């Protein structure tokens, strides 16, 4: 099979779809210095505010999706899952094997993407919404003709908005249940912690600030120290103290079981939808 390497120092990146995820990735790529804005393009959006957002940090906004594909070496499909088939089929004549194709459409499998495009140089990426603040948890899976170099290029791009792992596509439903839906579980936890603080007498603004920062700090400790979360928990919980008393209440309420069940239920729903 003839190889068409992507020129790492000069390649152009195009987004089909100008929504929030495309904005997050494009902005992260520019802010991190991975690519200058002059090498990124998307197409005009029905909402003029979206055009203004991309132009505000230097991304070229072209009239049509066809123009984006023609001018790009790497094309990221960031449209809604229900329209991705139609969009890929419309662009199929332009999707040559010289181009590296990427999809962030949830639930849409590589085998379908490759069939619609007539091109198996495809990479599927599952990011999550904290990409908007540079803290995404993303996972990618390589299609049949995607090379290790292609994978490294995409890891570099999505690494600009958080952390990225590589995994077999068969795991993507579980990934959706954990990191795709997981931010919502954490928002509920932050809200509940803040409500607890208010119930204990704290002003609402202070309680919410403390809850948010506490979750952020704990997540950073787990990520950066490499310690098992059980060990980190034990480090906080002194004998007969306040923390172990609170943990006892969480255990009585089935806290860990509820979170585990949420991930499993979301995974099951992802399989049904896909």
């Amino acid at each position: 099979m003839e190889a068409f390497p992507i020129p790492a120092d000069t390649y152009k990146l195009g987004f089909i779809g100008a929504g929030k995820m495309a904005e997050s990735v494009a902005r992260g790529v520019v802010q991190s210095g991975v690519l200058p804005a002059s090498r990124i393009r998307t197409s005009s959006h029905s909402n003029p505010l979206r055009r203004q957002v991309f132009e505000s940090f230097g991304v070229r906004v072209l009239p049509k999706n066809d123009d984006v594909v023609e001018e790009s070496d790497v094309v990221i499909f960031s449209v809604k899952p229900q329209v991705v088939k139609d969009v890929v089929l419309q662009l199929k004549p332009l999707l040559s094997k010289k181009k590296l194709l990427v999809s962030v459409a949830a639930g849409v499998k590589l085998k379908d993407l490759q069939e619609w495009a007539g091109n198996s140089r495809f990479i599927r990426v599952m990011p999550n919404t904290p990409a908007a603040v540079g803290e995404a948890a993303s996972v990618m899976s390589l299609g049949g003709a995607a090379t290790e170099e292609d994978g490294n290029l995409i890891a570099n791009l999505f690494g600009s908005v958080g952390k990225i792992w590589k995994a077999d596509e068969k795991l993507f439903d579980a990934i959706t249940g954990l990191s795709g839906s997981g931010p919502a579980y954490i928002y509920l936890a932050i809200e509940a912690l803040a409500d607890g603080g208010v119930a204990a007498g704290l002003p609402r603004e202070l309680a919410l600030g403390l809850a948010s920062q506490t979750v952020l700090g704990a997540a950073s400790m787990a990520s950066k120290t490499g310690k098992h979360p059980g060990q980190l928990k034990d480090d906080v919980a002194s004998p007969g103290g306040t923390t172990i008393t609170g943990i006892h209440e969480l255990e009585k309420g089935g806290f860990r079981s509820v979170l585990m069940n949420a991930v499993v239920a979301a995974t099951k729903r992802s399989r049904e939808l896909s």
Side-chain angles (χ1 to χ4, degrees):
M1 182 177 66
E2 188 175 0
F4 298 99
I6 303 294
D9 296 332
T10 59
Y11 77 90
K12 295 182 175 63
L13 173 65
F15 289 89
I16 305 300
K20 293 289 188 181
M21 185 57 70
E23 176 194 343
S24 296
V25 176
R27 194 183 293 275
V29 164
V30 172
Q31 290 178 344
S32 65
V34 172
L35 279 184
S38 60
R39 284 164 53 192
I40 305 174
R41 49 269 287 118
T42 187
S43 60
S44 57
H45 195 279
S46 56
N47 181 350
L49 293 177
R50 299 307 302 159
R51 168 187 282 272
Q52 293 171 21
V53 164
F54 280 86
E55 290 180 338
S56 71
F57 59 98
V59 171
R60 288 187 62 197
V61 182
L62 304 176
K64 297 183 300 181
N65 285 340
D66 299 51
D67 301 326
V68 174
V69 175
E70 287 176 346
E71 290 197 18
S72 302
D73 303 291
V74 179
V75 179
I76 298 180
F77 290 91
S78 54
V79 296
K80 295 184 185 303
Q82 57 267 35
V83 302
V84 68
K85 179 179 181 179
D86 290 341
V87 172
V88 173
L89 288 173
Q90 288 167 8
L91 296 170
K92 183 175 181 177
L94 302 174
L95 303 178
S96 74
K97 291 178 173 58
K98 292 183 179 180
K99 298 183 186 295
L100 172 58
L101 311 178
V102 181
S103 171
V104 297
V108 182
K109 298 186 184 303
L110 277 169
K111 65 179 181 62
D112 294 322
L113 292 163
Q114 293 171 161
E115 180 182 338
W116 301 333
N119 181 358
S120 59
R121 193 179 188 181
F122 234 117
I123 295 179
R124 182 180 170 192
V125 181
M126 177 71 194
N128 64 1
T129 54
V133 292
E135 293 292 350
S138 303
V139 182
M140 68 175 178
S141 182
L142 275 59
T147 65
E148 282 298 313
E149 290 73 20
D150 292 341
N152 292 337
L153 185 150
I154 296 307
N156 195 34
L157 282 177
F158 282 84
S160 70
V161 292
K163 293 185 178 182
I164 183 164
W165 291 261
K166 186 188 292 185
D168 192 296
E169 190 185 27
K170 68 184 180 184
L171 302 177
F172 269 45
D173 289 317
I175 290 163
T176 299
L178 176 54
S179 60
S181 301
Y185 315 154
I186 303 306
Y187 301 143
L188 280 175
I190 291 171
E191 183 182 34
L193 286 169
D195 284 347
V198 172
L202 295 178
R204 169 66 63 181
E205 186 176 354
L206 176 59
L208 185 56
L210 288 172
S212 300
Q213 184 63 31
T214 297
V215 170
L216 175 63
S220 295
M221 286 281 286
S223 178
K224 293 177 180 178
T225 65
K227 287 186 176 181
H228 189 281
Q231 179 62 55
L232 291 170
K233 176 262 296 176
D234 289 349
D235 290 346
V236 184
S238 56
T242 60
T243 303
I244 195 63
T245 302
I247 289 172
H248 189 198
E249 288 298 314
L250 291 173
E251 294 290 8
K252 285 195 288 186
F255 180 71
R256 286 190 287 186
S257 294
V258 167
L259 283 178
M260 291 169 66
N261 290 342
V263 174
V264 172
T267 298
K268 180 180 177 183
R269 183 58 176 156
S270 178
R271 290 196 185 104
E272 293 169 354
L273 292 173
S274 62

